[in-house]
């Protein structure tokens, strides 16, 4: 991705390293000698977004005492990284789309267009398709930015990375705190690898930093790895999970008894066949796995003969 001047969209949960990924793309590209300008779209007030991105001329609005170049101008020749893209107001999205298409923009309060040679990388932690359907991200902008989609998996889905990341953070914090800490005991590493890390890499970094700060020996022990206690789930969430668990188990039990016959299973549940089938579809239950093998083989033979 780095070697070509294409737009890219990085998606992933909070803390998975989206900005680090964007920085890697920039540093491996021919633009590495120029600036990488990072913009957190969610941290800019809506009324100032256009001014921050495209700049403004003196007198464009109350308080605009001088001309001000925008972040696009600041990123000239380099890369502009737009984090939390879904927070960008729709009007600013329209102007951003024009810039992506024409490589030109108009500062707030100006009647003259400017040009800029800037590569754009965007990121979000929301589902893009859902954001487009909800009207939070324009469909045309989505297609333009999503030329190269990059999905960063959560840390719990790549646990083999935990020892590498933990060792990296350990070395950095040991140097920063000037402490002789150089490793983890086996039980400490097991504790790290067994945790789900809802905060992903950022949470792991914080936990390792705290462990190094309070470590008294060169090797960090399990009791020095302080993990947060699980937050109790709400009544509604727990009820939803229990209902889903009951429905799935109940459907499977009926299909086992009826040997995969949906009509018989629906009759036993006192539900019409269509409603029963919709429940099966909801939980991705295949009735074929409950049918006796001999019966399935016989049916297949009959079909072949026919």
């Amino acid at each position: 991705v780095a070697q070509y001047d294409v737009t890219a969209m990085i998606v992933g949960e909070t803390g998975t390293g989206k900005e680090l990924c964007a920085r890697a793309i920039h540093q491996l590209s021919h633009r590495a000698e120029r600036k990488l300008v990072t913009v957190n779209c969610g941290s800019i007030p809506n009324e100032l977004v256009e001014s921050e991105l495209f700049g403004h001329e003196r007198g464009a609005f109350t308080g605009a005492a001088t001309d001000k170049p925008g972040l696009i101008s600041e990123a000239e020749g380099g890369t502009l990284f737009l984090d939390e893209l879904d927070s960008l107001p729709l009007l600013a999205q329209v102007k951003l789309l024009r810039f992506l298409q024409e490589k030109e923009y108009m500062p707030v309060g100006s009647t003259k267009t400017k040009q800029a040679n800037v590569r754009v990388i965007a990121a979000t932690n929301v589902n893009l398709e859902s954001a487009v359907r909800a009207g939070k991200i324009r469909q045309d902008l989505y297609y333009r930015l999503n030329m190269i989609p990059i999905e960063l998996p959560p840390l719990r889905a790549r646990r083999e990375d935990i020892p590498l990341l933990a060792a990296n953070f350990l070395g950095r914090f040991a140097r920063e705190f000037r402490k002789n800490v150089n490793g983890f005991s086996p039980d400490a590493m097991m504790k790290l690898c067994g945790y789900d890390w809802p905060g992903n890499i950022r949470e792991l970094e914080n936990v390792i930093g705290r462990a190094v700060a309070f470590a008294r020996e060169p090797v960090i022990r399990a009791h020095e790895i302080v993990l947060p206690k699980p937050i109790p789930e709400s009544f509604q969430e727990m009820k939803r999970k229990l209902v889903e668990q009951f429905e799935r188990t109940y459907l499977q039990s009926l299909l086992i008894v009826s040997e995969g016959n949906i009509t018989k299973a629906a009759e036993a549940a006192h539900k019409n066949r269509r409603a029963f089938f919709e429940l099966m579809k909801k939980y991705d239950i295949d009735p074929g796995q409950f049918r006796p093998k001999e019966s399935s083989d016989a049916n297949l033979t009959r079909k072949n003969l026919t």
Side-chain angles (χ1 to χ4, degrees), residues 16-86:
T16 50
K18 294 186 289 294
E19 183 175 347
L20 191 63
C21 180
R23 190 172 299 278
I25 293 172
H26 172 74
Q27 291 175 346
L28 291 169
S29 74
H30 66 88
R31 298 177 178 272
E33 298 300 319
R34 307 304 293 268
K35 292 181 70 173
L36 168 69
V37 176
T38 298
V39 184
N40 187 315
C41 300
S43 66
I44 307 174
N46 286 356
E47 63 273 14
L48 297 179
V49 168
E50 291 181 52
S51 172
E52 287 293 316
L53 286 178
F54 307 106
H56 65 255
E57 289 197 346
R58 178 182 176 183
F61 51 84
T62 304
T66 60
D67 292 349
K68 179 187 174 183
L71 294 172
I72 287 178
S73 175
E74 185 180 339
E76 173 64 35
T79 304
L80 181 70
F81 175 52
L82 300 173
D83 199 6
E84 296 188 23
L85 179 76
D86 54 291

Side-chain angles (χ1 to χ4, degrees), residues 152-167:
L152 298 184
L155 189 54
R156 61 185 174 275
R158 46 183 173 123
R159 294 179 190 271
E160 66 276 9
D161 286 352
I162 292 174
L164 297 170
L165 290 164

Side-chain angles (χ1 to χ4, degrees), residues 110-221:
S110 175
T111 57
K112 298 180 179 179
T113 59
K114 292 187 175 183
Q115 292 189 328
N117 175 23
V118 175
R119 178 187 193 168
V120 176
I121 300 174
T124 181
N125 59 7
V126 303
N127 181 281
L128 283 170
E129 289 76 13
S130 297
V132 171
R133 287 195 297 269
K136 297 186 69 176
I137 297 178
R138 288 178 57 94
Q139 190 174 48
D140 45 9
L141 180 64
Y142 161 70
Y143 289 134
R144 185 73 189 189
L145 286 172
N146 203 42
M147 184 180 296
I148 304 292
I150 301 173
E151 183 175 357
L152 298 184
L155 189 54
R156 61 185 174 275
R158 46 183 173 123
R159 294 179 190 271
E160 66 276 9
D161 286 352
I162 292 174
L164 297 170
L165 290 164
N168 177 273
F169 293 141
L170 179 91
R172 177 159 64 82
F173 284 119
R175 291 190 298 272
E176 184 177 333
F177 301 154
R178 299 181 181 180
K179 296 194 69 171
N180 179 27
V181 182
N182 52 40
F184 299 92
S185 67
D187 57 342
M189 186 54 68
M190 285 182 63
K191 189 173 182 179
L192 290 173
C193 292
Y195 181 58
D196 273 349
W197 301 106
N200 292 295
I201 301 172
R202 187 175 298 135
E203 184 182 11
L204 174 64
E205 181 181 14
N206 292 338
V207 168
I208 301 301
R210 182 168 55 240
V212 173
F214 292 104
R216 296 188 176 184
E217 299 176 8
V219 175
I220 292 178
R221 308 292 177 184

